[in-house]
Amino acid sequence: MKLQLDDLPGILARLSKIKLTALVVSTASAGFAMAPVPFDLTCFLLASLGTGLASCAANSINQAEHPWAGPVRSRNAFSSRWALVENTMFFEVPFDSNMNRTKNRPLVRGQISPLLAVCFAAACGVPGIALLTLGVNPLTGALGAFNIFLYTCCYTPLKRMSIANTWVGAVVGAIPPVMGWTAATGSLDAGAVLLGGILYSWQFPHFNALSWGLREDYSRGGYCMMSVTHPGLCRRVALRHCLALIGLSTVAPVLDITTWTFPIISLPINLYISYLGFRFYRDADRSSSRKLFFCSLWHLPLLLLVMFTCKKPFLEKEEKGDLSGNHGRAVEIRLP
């Protein structure tokens, strides 16, 4: 298929899963906004751009596997290494072609060559990680690089080997808000872990409900998903993590990240997704899985918005710190 230059932006947007990348950037932005430091617009923009580029790179590598790459006998060491790269660097094209949900992806349809896909991934990944490392801080850059590795080299191969891929994928999705927090603070604090935990738990009702309606597709594609091989576990895990969101929301004021209004205001939406999670667990049908999936689409942004509105004011924390410091100095004065 001949590539038209006018079609290239749309093809690259689909290759990089632009909607998923937008979700990644938005969760990273939420982590930045929740950090207990003054808002730095320049740092925020650099962190968002770097995170977006890193996500585009990971998604592009994840989609690519050369459909014609087979075992190659080479005459020299260089060509042997290249053959190995050609056989192992690209992952999903032959399997995506068997699934209705993914058979129209650019690489599956031959709209773009694997070489161009890899070049695009490198053109996103290298400056993205450099931007996070040099423009933001090394910790955020390291998290971004680790997430690309985890997504492309661990999660993607595991999808054909073990249901553990779902838990690894949840870690991948949990890292962006942690990156947002570290971009703002330069440190990995309890608040970053909590935000990551919320994203981690949210992904199970979201993905397990989605995969329930795609069981035939995943089975045809040869992917090892809970909904295919362990349907009972799939529903139990979804319900378990719906309930975990209630507990995680309660921990936020304990860690001094939000006021106590957050767990109260968020309780109705957390109870509702838990109710739908229970319906999915009990009924085990497409109707209940669809309701849970669509609920998850609005639940996360609403939960993060409520969390932001209930954020503990930065000035209040500063005043507490000053009072603690003054108290310490007063004690010192009293001592002989």
Side-chain angles (χ1 to χ4, degrees), residues 260-268:
W260 280 99
T261 55
F262 172 61
I264 296 170
I265 296 175
S266 63
L267 185 60

Side-chain angles (χ1 to χ4, degrees), residues 20-40:
L20 178 58
T21 293
L23 175 62
V24 168
V25 173
S26 65
T27 57
S29 301
F32 193 99
M34 286 302 302
V37 295
F39 185 80
D40 185 336

Side-chain angles (χ1 to χ4, degrees), residues 71-117:
V72 178
R73 295 184 178 274
S74 305
R75 296 183 179 180
N76 55 62
F78 173 79
S79 57
S80 295
R81 290 191 187 97
W82 175 249
L84 179 63
V85 169
E86 194 175 42
N87 278 279
T88 60
M89 188 173 186
F90 310 115
F91 297 115
E92 293 193 333
V93 166
F95 315 118
D96 284 349
S97 62
N98 294 323
M99 297 175 61
N100 292 328
R101 191 171 74 97
T102 55
K103 66 183 180 183
N104 289 321
R105 285 178 174 175
L107 279 163
V108 178
R109 295 182 62 190
Q111 293 178 304
I112 188 174
S113 70
L115 178 60
L116 183 54

Side-chain angles (χ1 to χ4, degrees), residues 259-281:
T259 63
W260 280 99
T261 55
F262 172 61
I264 296 170
I265 296 175
S266 63
L267 185 60
I269 61 173
N270 285 335
L271 285 175
Y272 183 64
I273 197 171
S274 297
Y275 165 72
L276 293 180
F278 172 73
R279 288 284 302 272
F280 175 51
Y281 168 74

Side-chain angles (χ1 to χ4, degrees), residues 66 153 198 212 226 236 319:
H66 200 306
C153 299
I198 289 173
W212 189 265
M226 265 192 288
R236 287 196 302 274
E319 287 170 4

Side-chain angles (χ1 to χ4, degrees), residues 108-311:
V108 178
R109 295 182 62 190
Q111 293 178 304
I112 188 174
S113 70
L115 178 60
L116 183 54
V118 172
C119 290
F120 174 71
C124 290
V126 173
I129 298 303
L131 197 61
L132 291 172
T133 304
L134 304 175
V136 181
N137 58 59
L139 176 58
T140 306
L143 285 171
F146 173 70
N147 220 23
I148 292 177
F149 167 79
L150 194 63
Y151 187 59
T152 59
C153 299
C154 299
Y155 167 67
T156 299
L158 271 175
K159 283 162 63 173
R160 297 185 57 79
M161 296 165 58
S162 167
I163 61 170
N165 73 79
T166 306
W167 282 268
V168 175
V171 173
V172 172
I175 289 177
V178 177
M179 291 171 62
W181 183 284
T182 61
T185 65
S187 61
L188 196 58
D189 307 316
V193 176
L194 175 64
L195 284 166
I198 289 173
L199 263 294
Y200 178 83
S201 283
W202 172 83
Q203 286 173 93
F204 287 97
H206 173 75
F207 180 74
N208 287 15
L210 171 66
S211 65
W212 189 265
L214 298 170
R215 283 175 295 171
E216 293 83 2
D217 244 13
Y218 280 123
S219 180
R220 191 162 51 245
Y223 290 108
C224 192
M225 296 296 173
M226 265 192 288
S227 59
V228 177
T229 60
H230 299 75
L233 180 64
C234 176
R235 302 194 310 275
R236 287 196 302 274
V237 169
L239 174 58
R240 196 177 299 154
H241 283 277
C242 286
L243 296 170
L245 289 169
I246 300 173
L248 289 167
S249 298
T250 307
V251 172
V254 175
L255 296 176
D256 212 30
I257 298 167
T258 67
T259 63
W260 280 99
T261 55
F262 172 61
I264 296 170
I265 296 175
S266 63
L267 185 60
I269 61 173
N270 285 335
L271 285 175
Y272 183 64
I273 197 171
S274 297
Y275 165 72
L276 293 180
F278 172 73
R279 288 284 302 272
F280 175 51
Y281 168 74
R282 185 190 66 185
D283 299 342
D285 58 13
R286 287 180 182 271
S287 175
S288 60
S289 68
R290 277 198 304 269
K291 288 177 181 177
L292 179 58
F293 171 71
F294 284 116
C295 173
S296 72
L297 295 179
W298 59 258
H299 175 273
L300 179 65
L302 185 57
L303 183 67
L304 293 176
L305 179 61
V306 171
M307 192 177 194
F308 178 71
T309 57
C310 298
K311 176 185 175 182

